[in-house]
Amino acid sequence: MSLMKRISLIFRSRANTALDKAEDPRQTLDYSYQRQQDLLVKVRRGVADVATSRKRVELQVNQLEAQATKLQGQAEKAISVGREDLAREALTRKSGLAQQITDLKTQHAQLQGEEEKLTLAQQRLQAKVEAFRTRKETIKATYTAAEAQTKINEAMSGIGEEMGDVGMAIQRAEDKTAQMQARAGAIDELLASGALEDVTQPGGSDDISRELDALSSGTDVESELARLKAGSQPQAIEPAEGDILAAEPQRTTDEDTL
Amino acid sequence: MIIRILGEGQFDVPDEQVAALNELDAAVESSVESGDVAAFTAALETLLEGVRASAVTHDEGTLDTSDLILPPADATLEEVRDLLSGDGLIPG
Protein backbone atom coordinates (compact mmCIF):
# COMPACT_ATOMS: atom_id res chain seq x y z
CA MET A 1 0.00 0.00 0.00
CA SER A 2 2.84 2.25 -0.85
CA LEU A 3 1.22 5.32 -2.40
CA MET A 4 -1.49 5.59 0.24
CA LYS A 5 1.08 4.97 2.98
CA ARG A 6 3.47 7.58 1.69
CA ILE A 7 0.77 10.21 1.39
CA SER A 8 -0.52 9.36 4.86
CA LEU A 9 2.89 9.64 6.48
CA ILE A 10 3.71 12.93 4.81
CA PHE A 11 0.29 14.38 5.52
CA ARG A 12 0.46 13.43 9.16
CA SER A 13 3.98 14.68 9.75
CA ARG A 14 3.07 18.01 8.19
CA ALA A 15 -0.04 18.27 10.32
CA ASN A 16 1.98 17.48 13.45
CA THR A 17 4.68 20.05 12.79
CA ALA A 18 1.92 22.65 12.71
CA LEU A 19 0.99 21.91 16.31
CA ASP A 20 1.78 24.52 18.91
CA LYS A 21 4.14 23.67 21.68
CA ALA A 22 3.10 25.18 24.97
CA GLU A 23 4.75 24.98 28.36
CA ASP A 24 1.74 23.35 29.95
CA PRO A 25 0.56 20.83 27.34
CA ARG A 26 -3.01 21.53 28.41
CA GLN A 27 -2.66 25.07 27.09
CA THR A 28 -2.00 23.57 23.69
CA LEU A 29 -5.61 22.44 23.71
CA ASP A 30 -6.90 25.98 24.06
CA TYR A 31 -4.60 27.35 21.37
CA SER A 32 -5.63 24.61 19.02
CA TYR A 33 -9.30 25.16 19.79
CA GLN A 34 -8.91 28.82 18.86
CA ARG A 35 -7.32 27.85 15.56
CA GLN A 36 -10.17 25.44 14.91
CA GLN A 37 -12.64 28.27 15.41
CA ASP A 38 -10.63 30.40 12.97
CA LEU A 39 -10.66 27.61 10.42
CA LEU A 40 -14.42 27.21 10.80
CA VAL A 41 -14.82 30.91 10.06
CA LYS A 42 -12.56 30.52 7.05
CA VAL A 43 -14.44 27.56 5.62
CA ARG A 44 -17.77 29.37 6.07
CA ARG A 45 -16.33 32.33 4.19
CA GLY A 46 -15.11 29.92 1.53
CA VAL A 47 -18.63 28.55 1.07
CA ALA A 48 -19.99 32.10 0.77
CA ASP A 49 -17.34 33.08 -1.80
CA VAL A 50 -18.07 30.09 -3.99
CA ALA A 51 -21.81 30.83 -3.73
CA THR A 52 -21.18 34.40 -4.88
CA SER A 53 -19.28 33.17 -7.93
CA ARG A 54 -22.00 30.65 -8.68
CA LYS A 55 -24.66 33.38 -8.57
CA ARG A 56 -22.62 35.57 -10.87
CA VAL A 57 -22.42 32.77 -13.45
CA GLU A 58 -26.15 32.20 -13.04
CA LEU A 59 -26.80 35.83 -13.81
CA GLN A 60 -24.62 35.67 -16.90
CA VAL A 61 -26.40 32.54 -18.15
CA ASN A 62 -29.73 34.34 -17.73
CA GLN A 63 -28.45 37.36 -19.63
CA LEU A 64 -27.10 35.30 -22.49
CA GLU A 65 -30.26 33.20 -22.66
CA ALA A 66 -32.40 36.32 -22.81
CA GLN A 67 -30.19 37.53 -25.63
CA ALA A 68 -30.58 34.21 -27.47
CA THR A 69 -34.37 34.43 -27.12
CA LYS A 70 -34.29 37.96 -28.46
CA LEU A 71 -32.24 36.89 -31.48
CA GLN A 72 -34.69 34.04 -32.12
CA GLY A 73 -37.54 36.56 -32.09
CA GLN A 74 -35.62 38.80 -34.46
CA ALA A 75 -35.03 35.90 -36.84
CA GLU A 76 -38.76 35.14 -36.88
CA LYS A 77 -39.65 38.75 -37.45
CA ALA A 78 -37.09 39.07 -40.22
CA ILE A 79 -38.53 36.04 -42.00
CA SER A 80 -42.05 37.47 -41.69
CA VAL A 81 -40.96 40.61 -43.52
CA GLY A 82 -39.01 38.60 -46.08
CA ARG A 83 -35.50 39.48 -44.96
CA GLU A 84 -33.74 36.11 -44.94
CA ASP A 85 -30.33 37.83 -44.71
CA LEU A 86 -31.23 39.43 -41.39
CA ALA A 87 -32.73 36.19 -40.11
CA ARG A 88 -29.52 34.36 -41.00
CA GLU A 89 -27.43 36.97 -39.17
CA ALA A 90 -29.61 36.70 -36.08
CA LEU A 91 -29.42 32.91 -36.04
CA THR A 92 -25.65 32.96 -36.54
CA ARG A 93 -25.22 35.20 -33.51
CA LYS A 94 -27.58 33.00 -31.56
CA SER A 95 -25.51 29.89 -32.25
CA GLY A 96 -22.40 31.78 -31.09
CA LEU A 97 -24.14 32.46 -27.80
CA ALA A 98 -25.13 28.82 -27.44
CA GLN A 99 -21.48 27.79 -26.99
CA GLN A 100 -20.93 30.46 -24.33
CA ILE A 101 -24.06 29.35 -22.52
CA THR A 102 -22.91 25.71 -22.55
CA ASP A 103 -19.50 26.69 -21.14
CA LEU A 104 -21.07 28.78 -18.41
CA LYS A 105 -23.43 25.98 -17.45
CA THR A 106 -20.45 23.64 -17.09
CA GLN A 107 -18.76 26.19 -14.84
CA HIS A 108 -21.94 26.58 -12.88
CA ALA A 109 -22.10 22.83 -12.24
CA GLN A 110 -18.47 22.84 -11.09
CA LEU A 111 -19.04 25.72 -8.72
CA GLN A 112 -22.12 24.03 -7.35
CA GLY A 113 -20.02 20.90 -6.77
CA GLU A 114 -17.36 22.90 -4.92
CA GLU A 115 -19.99 24.60 -2.84
CA GLU A 116 -21.50 21.27 -1.80
CA LYS A 117 -18.09 19.78 -1.01
CA LEU A 118 -17.10 22.74 1.14
CA THR A 119 -20.42 22.71 2.93
CA LEU A 120 -19.92 19.04 3.81
CA ALA A 121 -16.32 19.73 4.85
CA GLN A 122 -17.61 22.46 7.12
CA GLN A 123 -20.10 20.06 8.71
CA ARG A 124 -17.41 17.43 9.27
CA LEU A 125 -15.04 19.95 10.81
CA GLN A 126 -17.83 21.27 13.00
CA ALA A 127 -18.47 17.76 14.33
CA LYS A 128 -14.75 17.20 15.02
CA VAL A 129 -14.37 20.56 16.72
CA GLU A 130 -17.28 19.73 18.96
CA ALA A 131 -15.70 16.36 19.80
CA PHE A 132 -12.42 18.16 20.48
CA ARG A 133 -14.08 20.65 22.80
CA THR A 134 -15.58 17.85 24.89
CA ARG A 135 -12.27 15.98 25.01
CA LYS A 136 -10.42 19.16 25.91
CA GLU A 137 -12.61 19.77 28.96
CA THR A 138 -12.26 16.16 30.09
CA ILE A 139 -8.48 16.25 29.77
CA LYS A 140 -8.18 19.53 31.63
CA ALA A 141 -10.47 18.38 34.42
CA THR A 142 -9.09 14.88 34.86
CA TYR A 143 -5.40 14.83 34.14
CA THR A 144 -2.34 16.57 35.51
CA ALA A 145 -0.08 18.25 32.99
CA ALA A 146 2.28 15.28 33.07
CA GLU A 147 -0.46 12.75 32.55
CA ALA A 148 -2.23 14.73 29.90
CA GLN A 149 0.39 14.57 27.17
CA THR A 150 -0.65 11.29 25.53
CA LYS A 151 -4.32 12.18 25.57
CA ILE A 152 -3.55 15.55 24.14
CA ASN A 153 -1.43 14.10 21.36
CA GLU A 154 -4.27 11.80 20.37
CA ALA A 155 -6.79 14.60 20.27
CA MET A 156 -4.42 16.89 18.42
CA SER A 157 -3.60 14.30 15.76
CA GLY A 158 -7.27 13.61 15.17
CA ILE A 159 -8.20 17.24 14.77
CA GLY A 160 -4.97 18.07 12.91
CA GLU A 161 -5.80 15.60 10.17
CA GLU A 162 -9.28 17.08 9.71
CA MET A 163 -7.90 20.60 9.73
CA GLY A 164 -5.32 19.70 7.11
CA ASP A 165 -8.04 18.18 4.95
CA VAL A 166 -10.36 21.17 5.29
CA GLY A 167 -7.52 23.64 4.74
CA MET A 168 -6.72 21.88 1.51
CA ALA A 169 -10.37 21.83 0.43
CA ILE A 170 -10.61 25.59 0.97
CA GLN A 171 -7.43 26.17 -1.02
CA ARG A 172 -8.65 24.03 -3.91
CA ALA A 173 -12.03 25.74 -3.99
CA GLU A 174 -10.34 29.15 -3.98
CA ASP A 175 -8.07 28.16 -6.87
CA LYS A 176 -10.95 26.86 -8.97
CA THR A 177 -13.12 29.86 -8.21
CA ALA A 178 -10.30 32.24 -9.13
CA GLN A 179 -9.92 30.59 -12.55
CA MET A 180 -13.62 30.84 -13.20
CA GLN A 181 -13.80 34.41 -12.02
CA ALA A 182 -11.23 35.36 -14.63
CA ARG A 183 -13.45 33.83 -17.30
CA ALA A 184 -16.59 35.35 -15.82
CA GLY A 185 -14.84 38.72 -15.92
CA ALA A 186 -14.18 38.24 -19.63
CA ILE A 187 -17.87 37.54 -20.25
CA ASP A 188 -18.86 40.61 -18.24
CA GLU A 189 -16.53 42.67 -20.39
CA LEU A 190 -18.06 41.24 -23.54
CA LEU A 191 -21.53 42.05 -22.26
CA ALA A 192 -20.42 45.55 -21.28
CA SER A 193 -18.75 46.24 -24.61
CA GLY A 194 -21.99 45.52 -26.43
CA ALA A 195 -20.34 42.77 -28.46
CA LEU A 196 -23.08 40.50 -27.19
CA GLU A 197 -25.74 43.22 -27.53
CA ASP A 198 -26.27 44.03 -23.91
CA VAL A 199 -29.73 42.86 -22.97
CA THR A 200 -29.60 44.54 -19.60
CA GLN A 201 -30.71 47.78 -21.24
CA PRO A 202 -34.36 47.41 -22.13
CA GLY A 203 -35.08 48.97 -25.46
CA GLY A 204 -31.38 49.18 -26.22
CA SER A 205 -31.23 48.40 -29.89
CA ASP A 206 -28.69 46.60 -31.99
CA ASP A 207 -28.21 46.76 -35.72
CA ILE A 208 -30.66 43.94 -36.47
CA SER A 209 -33.31 45.59 -34.29
CA ARG A 210 -32.77 48.94 -35.94
CA GLU A 211 -33.16 47.52 -39.41
CA LEU A 212 -36.26 45.57 -38.42
CA ASP A 213 -37.69 48.64 -36.68
CA ALA A 214 -37.05 50.72 -39.76
CA LEU A 215 -38.73 48.08 -41.88
CA SER A 216 -41.75 47.76 -39.66
CA SER A 217 -42.17 51.49 -39.07
CA GLY A 218 -41.94 51.96 -42.83
CA THR A 219 -44.65 49.36 -43.21
CA ASP A 220 -46.74 50.98 -40.47
CA VAL A 221 -46.55 54.40 -42.11
CA GLU A 222 -47.57 52.98 -45.46
CA SER A 223 -50.52 51.10 -44.03
CA GLU A 224 -51.68 54.08 -42.02
CA LEU A 225 -51.42 56.31 -45.01
CA ALA A 226 -53.47 53.84 -47.00
CA ARG A 227 -56.07 53.71 -44.26
CA LEU A 228 -56.28 57.48 -44.03
CA LYS A 229 -56.63 57.82 -47.77
CA ALA A 230 -59.38 55.22 -47.91
CA GLY A 231 -61.43 56.20 -44.85
CA SER A 232 -61.08 59.88 -44.04
CA GLN A 233 -61.45 61.84 -47.24
CA PRO A 234 -64.73 63.65 -46.33
CA GLN A 235 -63.47 64.72 -42.91
CA ALA A 236 -60.18 65.98 -44.30
CA ILE A 237 -61.88 69.16 -45.44
CA GLU A 238 -63.79 69.91 -42.22
CA PRO A 239 -61.30 70.60 -39.41
CA ALA A 240 -60.16 74.20 -39.60
CA GLU A 241 -57.08 75.60 -37.95
CA GLY A 242 -59.13 77.28 -35.23
CA ASP A 243 -60.61 73.98 -34.03
CA ILE A 244 -57.26 72.48 -33.27
CA LEU A 245 -56.13 75.59 -31.41
CA ALA A 246 -59.36 75.74 -29.43
CA ALA A 247 -59.01 72.16 -28.34
CA GLU A 248 -55.59 72.85 -26.84
CA PRO A 249 -56.52 75.02 -23.78
CA GLN A 250 -59.45 72.74 -23.06
CA ARG A 251 -57.14 69.76 -22.60
CA THR A 252 -54.71 71.74 -20.44
CA THR A 253 -57.52 72.68 -18.09
CA ASP A 254 -58.55 69.05 -17.78
CA GLU A 255 -55.06 68.09 -16.80
CA ASP A 256 -54.86 70.86 -14.21
CA THR A 257 -57.95 69.66 -12.44
CA LEU A 258 -56.60 66.16 -12.07
CA MET B 1 -9.23 0.20 9.00
CA ILE B 2 -9.95 3.92 8.68
CA ILE B 3 -9.20 5.46 5.29
CA ARG B 4 -9.56 9.17 4.62
CA ILE B 5 -10.28 10.38 1.12
CA LEU B 6 -9.20 14.02 1.18
CA GLY B 7 -12.20 16.24 0.59
CA GLU B 8 -14.64 13.44 1.44
CA GLY B 9 -13.85 12.49 5.02
CA GLN B 10 -13.11 9.20 6.76
CA PHE B 11 -14.36 5.72 5.88
CA ASP B 12 -14.34 2.44 7.77
CA VAL B 13 -13.00 -0.19 5.39
CA PRO B 14 -13.27 -3.90 6.30
CA ASP B 15 -9.83 -5.49 6.66
CA GLU B 16 -10.59 -8.18 4.09
CA GLN B 17 -10.92 -5.47 1.43
CA VAL B 18 -7.46 -4.11 2.01
CA ALA B 19 -5.66 -6.62 -0.23
CA ALA B 20 -7.86 -5.70 -3.19
CA LEU B 21 -7.32 -2.00 -2.51
CA ASN B 22 -3.58 -2.60 -2.40
CA GLU B 23 -3.67 -3.74 -6.00
CA LEU B 24 -5.65 -0.66 -7.04
CA ASP B 25 -3.20 1.51 -5.13
CA ALA B 26 -0.26 -0.07 -6.96
CA ALA B 27 -1.88 0.87 -10.27
CA VAL B 28 -2.17 4.50 -9.16
CA GLU B 29 1.41 4.54 -7.99
CA SER B 30 2.83 3.16 -11.24
CA SER B 31 0.81 5.70 -13.25
CA VAL B 32 2.20 8.51 -11.09
CA GLU B 33 5.72 7.22 -11.67
CA SER B 34 5.28 6.85 -15.42
CA GLY B 35 3.47 10.21 -15.67
CA ASP B 36 0.63 8.66 -17.66
CA VAL B 37 -2.23 11.10 -17.05
CA ALA B 38 -5.02 9.01 -18.57
CA ALA B 39 -3.96 5.90 -16.66
CA PHE B 40 -3.62 7.94 -13.48
CA THR B 41 -7.11 9.44 -13.73
CA ALA B 42 -8.67 6.03 -14.36
CA ALA B 43 -6.65 4.26 -11.64
CA LEU B 44 -7.38 6.90 -8.99
CA GLU B 45 -11.08 6.79 -9.78
CA THR B 46 -11.09 2.98 -9.52
CA LEU B 47 -9.21 3.07 -6.21
CA LEU B 48 -11.50 5.68 -4.63
CA GLU B 49 -14.56 3.89 -5.95
CA GLY B 50 -13.19 0.68 -4.41
CA VAL B 51 -12.88 2.41 -1.03
CA ARG B 52 -16.33 3.97 -1.19
CA ALA B 53 -17.98 0.74 -2.32
CA SER B 54 -16.55 -1.36 0.50
CA ALA B 55 -16.75 1.21 3.28
CA VAL B 56 -19.15 3.02 5.52
CA THR B 57 -18.65 6.61 6.68
CA HIS B 58 -16.62 6.76 9.89
CA ASP B 59 -18.38 8.37 12.84
CA GLU B 60 -17.73 12.10 12.44
CA GLY B 61 -17.93 12.84 16.15
CA THR B 62 -14.64 11.11 16.93
CA LEU B 63 -11.02 12.29 16.87
CA ASP B 64 -9.65 9.06 15.41
CA THR B 65 -6.72 9.33 13.05
CA SER B 66 -6.84 7.57 9.71
CA ASP B 67 -4.67 4.57 8.93
CA LEU B 68 -4.40 5.71 5.33
CA ILE B 69 -4.99 8.96 3.48
CA LEU B 70 -5.91 9.18 -0.20
CA PRO B 71 -5.82 12.11 -2.63
CA PRO B 72 -9.04 13.96 -3.48
CA ALA B 73 -11.13 12.55 -6.33
CA ASP B 74 -10.38 15.48 -8.64
CA ALA B 75 -6.64 15.56 -7.91
CA THR B 76 -4.36 15.94 -10.89
CA LEU B 77 -1.20 13.94 -11.32
CA GLU B 78 0.78 17.06 -10.47
CA GLU B 79 -1.12 17.53 -7.24
CA VAL B 80 -0.45 13.96 -6.18
CA ARG B 81 3.24 14.51 -6.86
CA ASP B 82 3.05 17.61 -4.67
CA LEU B 83 1.34 15.58 -1.97
CA LEU B 84 4.14 13.02 -2.13
CA SER B 85 6.81 15.66 -1.93
CA GLY B 86 5.10 17.32 1.01
CA ASP B 87 4.26 20.50 -0.90
CA GLY B 88 0.78 21.76 -1.43
CA LEU B 89 -0.37 20.66 1.98
CA ILE B 90 -2.05 23.12 4.23
CA PRO B 91 -2.13 21.56 7.65
CA GLY B 92 -4.50 23.27 10.06
Side-chain angles (χ1 to χ4, degrees), chain A residues 1-12 14-18 35 39 42 114 117 120-121 123-125 127-129 131-133 135 153-169 171-172 175-176, chain B residues 1-10 18-19 21-22 25-26 28-29 32-33 44 47 51 58-76 79-80 82-92:
Chain A
M1 204 161 277
S2 43
L3 179 87
M4 295 195 271
K5 273 222 168 82
R6 276 156 65 198
I7 290 180
S8 313
L9 289 173
I10 292 164
F11 195 91
R12 197 162 301 134
R14 287 288 297 249
N16 283 335
T17 56
R35 286 227 316 274
L39 187 59
K42 202 174 164 194
E114 288 302 314
K117 272 195 271 182
L120 290 173
Q123 286 166 8
R124 286 195 299 268
L125 180 62
K128 296 273 186 203
V129 169
F132 185 91
R133 192 188 62 78
R135 186 84 62 91
N153 288 350
E154 283 170 14
M156 296 290 278
S157 300
I159 199 76
E161 186 182 309
E162 192 69 39
M163 289 171 80
D165 191 349
V166 170
M168 217 173 125
Q171 186 64 52
R172 293 170 68 82
D175 290 349
K176 284 188 190 175
Chain B
M1 167 176 275
I2 303 172
I3 297 185
R4 173 183 294 274
I5 300 177
L6 291 172
E8 293 180 40
Q10 293 175 304
V18 173
L21 293 176
N22 262 326
D25 177 52
V28 179
E29 188 182 30
V32 170
E33 272 160 19
L44 179 62
L47 172 61
V51 173
H58 186 71
D59 181 1
E60 287 177 3
T62 70
L63 294 173
D64 300 331
T65 51
S66 308
D67 299 296
L68 292 167
I69 298 177
L70 292 181
D74 56 353
T76 63
E79 284 171 321
V80 169
D82 285 349
L83 272 177
L84 288 170
S85 72
D87 295 337
L89 283 182
I90 300 106

Side-chain angles (χ1 to χ4, degrees), chain A residues 18-233:
Chain A
L19 297 181
D20 291 308
K21 300 272 178 273
E23 219 159 274
D24 182 340
R26 289 174 299 185
Q27 284 183 339
T28 315
L29 294 169
D30 291 324
Y31 294 147
S32 176
Y33 188 64
Q34 185 53 51
R35 286 227 316 274
Q36 293 160 32
Q37 300 296 329
D38 295 346
L39 187 59
L40 271 174
V41 170
K42 202 174 164 194
V43 71
R44 279 193 204 107
R45 199 179 303 138
V47 171
D49 287 348
V50 176
T52 304
S53 294
R54 171 180 57 76
K55 284 174 197 153
R56 183 182 185 190
V57 171
E58 257 166 39
L59 192 68
Q60 290 183 330
V61 168
N62 290 343
Q63 287 180 327
L64 293 184
E65 279 181 341
Q67 178 63 17
T69 306
K70 182 181 163 193
L71 285 165
Q72 175 70 31
Q74 288 179 337
E76 284 164 15
K77 193 172 175 190
I79 286 293
S80 74
V81 295
R83 286 291 303 272
E84 196 181 321
D85 58 328
L86 278 181
R88 187 178 299 279
E89 176 62 26
L91 292 177
T92 306
R93 289 183 197 177
K94 189 185 152 203
S95 83
L97 288 183
Q99 184 56 49
Q100 305 250 33
I101 291 170
T102 308
D103 289 349
L104 282 175
K105 282 186 171 167
T106 307
Q107 281 188 39
H108 184 259
Q110 286 173 344
L111 286 170
Q112 213 160 25
E114 288 302 314
E115 194 178 335
E116 281 162 20
K117 272 195 271 182
L118 268 191
T119 305
L120 290 173
Q122 180 199 321
Q123 286 166 8
R124 286 195 299 268
L125 180 62
Q126 182 85 59
K128 296 273 186 203
V129 169
E130 186 49 34
F132 185 91
R133 192 188 62 78
T134 311
R135 186 84 62 91
K136 175 168 82 81
E137 296 313 319
T138 311
I139 292 171
K140 282 167 78 174
T142 322
Y143 295 87
T144 64
E147 292 170 331
Q149 194 63 66
T150 316
K151 301 283 168 196
I152 290 171
N153 288 350
E154 283 170 14
M156 296 290 278
S157 300
I159 199 76
E161 186 182 309
E162 192 69 39
M163 289 171 80
D165 191 349
V166 170
M168 217 173 125
I170 295 173
Q171 186 64 52
R172 293 170 68 82
E174 275 176 5
D175 290 349
K176 284 188 190 175
T177 310
Q179 286 170 12
M180 287 179 199
Q181 285 200 325
R183 279 192 275 170
I187 298 261
D188 276 344
E189 272 174 38
L190 267 178
L191 283 165
S193 74
L196 297 177
E197 269 85 62
D198 193 349
V199 290
T200 59
Q201 298 177 329
S205 60
D206 52 74
D207 49 351
I208 297 180
S209 295
R210 275 194 297 277
E211 216 165 321
L212 285 172
D213 286 349
L215 275 172
S216 64
S217 66
T219 317
D220 291 348
V221 169
E222 289 307 317
S223 63
E224 195 141 346
L225 267 177
R227 195 158 48 80
L228 283 174
K229 281 184 195 162
S232 56
Q233 251 154 5

Side-chain angles (χ1 to χ4, degrees), chain B residues 4-41:
Chain B
R4 173 183 294 274
I5 300 177
L6 291 172
E8 293 180 40
Q10 293 175 304
F11 296 90
D12 290 322
V13 178
D15 289 343
E16 60 267 26
Q17 293 294 327
V18 173
L21 293 176
N22 262 326
E23 284 177 33
L24 299 177
D25 177 52
V28 179
E29 188 182 30
S30 67
S31 71
V32 170
E33 272 160 19
S34 67
D36 184 341
V37 174
F40 163 78
T41 309

Side-chain angles (χ1 to χ4, degrees), chain B residues 39-59:
Chain B
F40 163 78
T41 309
L44 179 62
E45 195 180 312
T46 312
L47 172 61
L48 297 186
E49 200 41 61
V51 173
R52 294 187 200 108
S54 62
V56 291
T57 306
H58 186 71
D59 181 1

